[in-house]
Amino acid sequence: MKKLVLSLLCVFSMLFANAQTITTLSVEAGLGLSTWMGNGANNSHAIFNQHVGIGVDIPLSGWFSFKTGLRWMSLGAMSELQDEDMKVNQNYFQMPILASLHIGTKQNFDVVVSAGPYIAYGAKGKTFRNVDDVKVSWDTFNDGQVRNVDIWKGLRRFDAGVEVGVSLDFPAWMIGLNGDFGLCRLQKNGPRNMGMFVSAGYKF
């Protein structure tokens, strides 16, 4: 029994030997796809989008850390409305609140698995649509009108959801894949946000 316990301790020591122990700041950027999901998303298609921001990684132990930061996050979708394509761009200030597990490796990097909620506020965005052979645009988060006829109900600015991700964390930089899954409807009985991004960051 003692040998088994000692063996397990040795294995865990090897796994977590490289886990970080100091708070780090980083600048991050990512590219990926965003779309809508849920009710009201049947006619939506994914579009390319991006995000940039700063991150903070605060160690809680050799294995676990708390991650947060502030991002400029671009989301949205291509949607069909009355047989016409409409591109909806949504830009948010987003703050993730993540719990992370750091699994050290012999190659001097950590495999980091993260999950937790995020909150976001819609700062700006443009929606583009062809109406009577005329291309029109309006603020995504405001109501849209053409010739005093309502054609768009502005999206709600507040958003919140769940983020999950996995990354490779090197001493000076990181690269990873993360997904955002919105829990708030963008309109009454409307869709929710979804995005998948490949991200890279440089640590200070």
Side-chain angles (χ1 to χ4, degrees), residues 131-132 136 138 144-151:
V131 179
D132 296 332
V136 297
W138 58 87
Q145 293 183 334
V146 174
R147 298 171 186 170
N148 296 321
V149 177
D150 293 335
I151 62 172

Side-chain angles (χ1 to χ4, degrees), residues 19-20 57-66 99-102:
Q20 69 176 43
D57 194 350
I58 304 170
L60 303 178
S61 71
W63 303 356
F64 299 97
S65 70
F66 167 74
S100 298
L101 170 66
H102 295 251

Side-chain angles (χ1 to χ4, degrees), residues 74-141:
S74 294
L75 297 172
M78 185 73 74
S79 181
E80 295 180 7
L81 183 65
Q82 297 175 355
D83 297 325
E84 294 179 346
D85 285 337
M86 179 174 63
K87 186 176 183 180
V88 183
N89 293 316
Q90 305 154 231
N91 297 296
Y92 296 88
F93 286 113
Q94 185 193 82
M95 184 176 72
I97 306 169
L98 308 177
S100 298
L101 170 66
H102 295 251
I103 305 174
T105 70
K106 293 182 178 180
Q107 288 72 33
N108 199 33
F109 67 84
D110 290 354
V111 177
V112 183
V113 181
S114 302
Y118 71 82
I119 57 174
Y121 178 80
K124 63 178 296 185
K126 280 288 186 182
T127 297
F128 301 89
R129 180 188 171 195
N130 293 324
V131 179
D132 296 332
D133 296 325
V134 177
K135 189 172 185 178
V136 297
S137 65
W138 58 87
D139 190 321
T140 298
F141 297 102

Side-chain angles (χ1 to χ4, degrees), residues 15-32:
L15 285 175
F16 300 106
N18 294 323
Q20 69 176 43
T21 57
I22 60 173
T23 298
T24 57
L25 301 177
S26 62
V27 291
E28 304 172 4
L31 293 173

Side-chain angles (χ1 to χ4, degrees), residues 144-193:
Q145 293 183 334
V146 174
R147 298 171 186 170
N148 296 321
V149 177
D150 293 335
I151 62 172
W152 174 257
K153 181 66 175 177
L155 301 186
R156 294 169 176 165
R157 291 184 182 271
F158 179 79
D159 189 30
V162 175
E163 178 175 320
V164 294
V166 61
S167 65
L168 303 181
D169 196 344
F170 294 87
W173 57 279
M174 68 192 78
I175 185 169
L177 175 67
N178 61 283
D180 288 353
F181 305 92
L183 299 178
C184 297
R185 296 191 183 279
L186 300 172
Q187 296 172 325
K188 184 178 181 180
N189 300 321
R192 303 187 302 273
N193 283 320

